[in-house]
Amino acid sequence: MTRILTIFTIANLFINTTYAAPHSTLGKGREYYEKRGDIVWEVPTQKKVIALTFDDGPDYTKTPEILSLLKKYQAKATFFVVGNRVEKFPQLVKQASLEGHEIGNHSFDHPSFQNIPRTKLLNELTRTQEAIYKATGQKPTLFRPPGGSYNESAVNICKDNQLLMILWSWDQDTKDWTSPGVNKIVNKVLNNVDNGDIVLMHDYVHNSIQTVDALKIILPELIKRGYSFVTVSDLISRKEKAGQDIRVTH
């Protein structure tokens, strides 16, 4: 009986932290939204820059370790934080911001956005904006939907609230939230890296330090290859391909 309860408890920890490939729920896909500048997956550039992103934090053990590694390698990153965790650990969000990292909105309770009512979606955004502002004195300009799911309503609400929706390069989903093994995380990044990539990782993964251990290999290796690490907003500012400006417009 104890074993059954333990399994049930562990399973419940992951109910609100599951992920799918980023997709629209209304049939309008990447080409439509990318051309309009509504959503960013990656940034065309000839410069050897990439954006590391970390979702679902802050976490009181792993976030400080990641911040320490980023500082060691003079790397900047973007943290897409969950509002209720910001309220628990505001000092970590403040530290990340003070150290030059970008803070993005990742909803308040990490619900599925596939069929979320408009009022709840707006509440998820605004509560997280307020929590981040209270911790850092700044409101984010970037939003990443939980699981990468979005629809027309979510896109429009983001634009109405001066938020740009950010997803990730399709070949840079490390799936570190599944604890696949350090080598798999490392190989996913190193074997697929390209200029302008947005890499999906997590600074909160239940009972796993694989992301931290993978970064210890990824960061020095990519620096050796000539890459530098910037925030998502910095990456967007380096966009070079003419005629496809990224902007928040209707």
Side-chain angles (χ1 to χ4, degrees):
M1 182 67 173
T2 302
R3 182 172 180 273
I4 293 172
L5 287 173
T6 301
I7 293 172
F8 178 78
T9 301
I10 292 172
N12 275 343
L13 288 170
F14 292 94
I15 287 176
N16 287 326
T17 53
T18 55
Y19 305 86
H23 68 283
S24 167
T25 58
L26 292 182
K28 294 177 179 176
R30 173 170 177 170
E31 184 178 1
Y32 173 82
Y33 289 108
E34 196 166 45
K35 282 185 176 179
R36 288 163 53 94
D38 291 339
I39 305 176
V40 178
W41 280 263
E42 56 205 18
V43 176
T45 178
Q46 294 184 34
K47 296 183 175 69
K48 300 190 78 169
V49 290
I50 63 173
L52 298 177
T53 65
F54 300 93
D55 288 10
D56 293 1
D59 177 76
Y60 72 98
T61 57
K62 280 154 278 191
T63 303
E65 290 185 72
I66 289 172
L67 288 173
S68 179
L69 283 168
L70 293 173
K71 181 181 288 188
K72 177 179 178 180
Y73 291 103
Q74 299 181 321
K76 301 303 179 189
T78 300
F79 291 83
F80 287 97
V81 295
V82 175
N84 65 51
R85 298 189 66 81
V86 175
E87 290 188 343
K88 291 178 184 177
F89 310 111
Q91 72 282 1
L92 292 177
V93 181
K94 182 177 181 179
Q95 179 186 347
S97 179
L98 288 174
E99 292 180 3
H101 305 294
E102 185 165 25
I103 308 300
N105 187 320
H106 194 44
S107 81
F108 194 83
D109 290 313
H110 204 284
S112 169
F113 270 45
Q114 289 192 20
N115 298 299
I116 190 170
R118 181 182 176 88
T119 52
K120 179 169 174 55
L121 192 158
L122 185 58
N123 186 55
E124 288 284 329
L125 288 181
T126 55
R127 289 180 72 190
T128 307
Q129 291 291 90
E130 291 166 4
I132 294 170
Y133 181 78
K134 187 175 180 181
T136 68
Q138 298 178 337
K139 286 191 176 180
T141 58
L142 307 180
F143 170 72
R144 174 173 283 166
S149 295
Y150 59 91
N151 55 32
E152 189 81 17
S153 177
V155 171
N156 287 333
I157 288 174
C158 280
K159 292 190 291 185
D160 289 342
N161 288 272
Q162 292 75 55
L163 286 164
L164 177 61
M165 190 175 290
I166 305 295
L167 293 177
W168 55 86
S169 304
W170 286 352
D171 58 357
Q172 287 293 358
D173 179 358
T174 63
K175 300 189 184 300
D176 58 343
W177 63 275
T178 66
S179 300
V182 172
N183 287 338
K184 285 192 176 181
I185 298 171
V186 170
N187 290 335
K188 184 66 174 179
V189 177
L190 297 185
N191 293 343
N192 296 287
V193 67
D194 199 3
N195 301 351
D197 276 351
I198 297 176
V199 181
L200 174 62
M201 306 179 90
H202 298 79
D203 58 330
Y204 173 65
V205 179
H206 178 67
N207 222 18
S208 173
I209 60 168
Q210 290 181 5
T211 303
V212 175
D213 289 340
L215 280 173
K216 294 175 182 177
I217 301 170
I218 292 168
L219 286 165
E221 175 58 29
L222 288 183
I223 288 172
K224 188 187 301 182
R225 296 186 192 182
Y227 283 94
S228 59
F229 307 92
V230 300
T231 66
V232 169
S233 287
D234 189 356
L235 186 66
I236 290 171
S237 74
R238 297 167 186 249
K239 185 178 174 72
E240 295 171 1
K241 195 171 183 179
Q244 293 186 6
D245 294 335
I246 295 171
R247 60 195 184 283
V248 183
T249 58
H250 286 288

